[in-house]
Amino acid sequence: MQSLFMKQQQQGRRLKQNQQHQCYHSSLLLSNNSSLNLPFEQPTECIFQLPNEQELHAHTAILSLNRPMQRNALSQQLVNELLNILSFIKNQHLQHSIRCLILKSNVKDTFCTGADLKERSKMSTLETSIFVNKLRFLMNEIENLPIPTIACLNGYCLGGGMEMALACDLRVGFLNKATIADDNADNCMTQNVVNKDSELLPKYFGLVETALGIIPGAGGCNRLPRLIGIPKAKELIYTAKKINVLEALEIGILNDVCIIDNHKTNNNTNNKVEGKEEEEEKMNEDKVFMNYVLEKFANPIVQNGPIAVKMAKQAIQQSIQLDVASGNKVEELCYAQVIPTKDRLEGLLAFKEKRKPNYKGE
């Protein structure tokens, strides 16, 4: 037993060194950035888009999970790809003017359903331990990015998917009222307001690991209590309870919910649209959701001083783990980083001249 534990420790140290110093053979898709010389092949399980000045997401990069058949389950390949992309963002966000990252899904009604259990079932005990360590490292890398991160949660967000969302700075849910409107619509809607207690709302969110005989192992036992409080976190983890999007908003898992009313039916039929129309509907929902998140969260973030936002994130994340006096010291050190910047002077000048500041991250 002791020998196995020592072997796991050695494997874990080697894994961390590899993740920090090596580049996984993962894949990267750049939208309208094909001229860039980057050490990545075309993607297999995720899609990455750099900021695009001609589109709505100037200064905001978009990382999309893309395993539709597996409902974005976290495979070794996907985890390696994500680590590679996060390393690129961490090291080159300044060169590519990345001031915010949106983490989303290309799969309808699914953000991420957690670890790929089919792949997990073929792993040995040691391989399982190593992979869980890698998942934990992935969530830490997301949390420790020097830029704000926003998780767009369009559907199922379970287990490791929930842990990935918890590692982000902000989380926004999605609800299409048309998907719950039927003959019993009055049971879930009052004066056109969705009732959070309605059984018609799908229960998308949860840390469900205890139902599988394990525990949340990629930061869930740590981050969820910090976010929503210890008693409620214990309830959700002990019971493996799944909750709907409005419940997640009420208890503080979500910052906001994008609610639309995009009916799947026309005036003459109650049959669901299929094929091409269904794909167009998915694209329309995705566009509405993305525009909502960009306009309400990402764009207001990236228009502010990027160094100031970076230091604010650092001050919050480091000080929250300390007592107030020590936290104030961290805040003081972070504030000292913004004093000599050109952005600070630009902010003062713009205020004086009554115009929008033009921050350059200098």
Side-chain angles (χ1 to χ4, degrees), residues 30-207:
L30 298 173
S31 174
N32 301 322
N33 294 285
S34 57
S35 61
L36 292 173
N37 184 22
L38 297 172
F40 304 135
E41 302 171 357
Q42 288 299 309
T44 58
E45 300 189 352
C46 64
I47 299 172
F48 180 57
Q49 297 170 273
L50 286 172
N52 192 324
E53 294 290 346
Q54 279 69 50
E55 298 181 11
L56 284 176
H57 60 101
H59 300 300
T60 298
I62 301 173
L63 176 53
S64 305
L65 307 180
N66 193 39
R67 297 190 76 206
M69 298 302 294
Q70 297 80 17
R71 308 196 79 170
N72 289 338
L74 292 165
S75 65
Q76 295 193 69
Q77 176 68 23
L78 177 56
V79 170
N80 288 343
E81 290 180 7
L82 293 173
L83 283 170
N84 210 10
I85 293 169
L86 293 172
S87 176
F88 168 78
I89 295 173
K90 181 168 65 175
N91 294 323
Q92 300 196 38
H93 65 282
L94 296 177
Q95 295 91 317
H96 297 285
S97 192
I98 303 174
R99 301 182 184 180
C100 183
L101 174 67
I102 288 178
L103 183 58
K104 60 180 283 291
S105 165
N106 276 0
V107 180
K108 184 175 176 59
D109 298 330
T110 300
F111 174 68
C112 175
T113 53
D116 189 328
L117 296 183
K118 288 185 178 180
E119 185 180 79
R120 177 78 63 87
S121 66
K122 300 175 183 178
M123 295 180 182
S124 67
T125 301
L126 180 58
E127 288 171 336
T128 298
S129 178
I130 292 172
F131 183 66
V132 172
N133 286 340
K134 184 186 286 188
L135 283 177
R136 193 177 301 114
F137 182 83
L138 170 65
M139 307 315 170
N140 290 339
E141 289 293 277
I142 294 173
E143 183 176 59
N144 294 327
L145 278 178
I147 58 174
T149 52
I150 305 171
C152 294
L153 310 177
N154 64 315
Y156 288 103
C157 180
L158 302 171
M162 172 69 88
E163 290 176 306
M164 185 182 297
L166 292 174
C168 292
D169 294 300
L170 306 175
R171 287 155 296 280
V172 183
F174 178 81
L175 174 63
N176 182 357
K177 289 194 291 187
T179 63
I180 56 173
D182 58 12
D183 293 337
N184 298 316
D186 290 340
N187 294 331
C188 72
M189 300 177 71
T190 304
Q191 295 182 343
N192 207 36
V193 177
V194 182
N195 178 6
K196 70 175 179 62
D197 297 319
S198 170
E199 291 299 320
L200 297 177
L201 284 172
K203 297 183 183 300
Y204 282 147
F205 301 88
L207 289 174

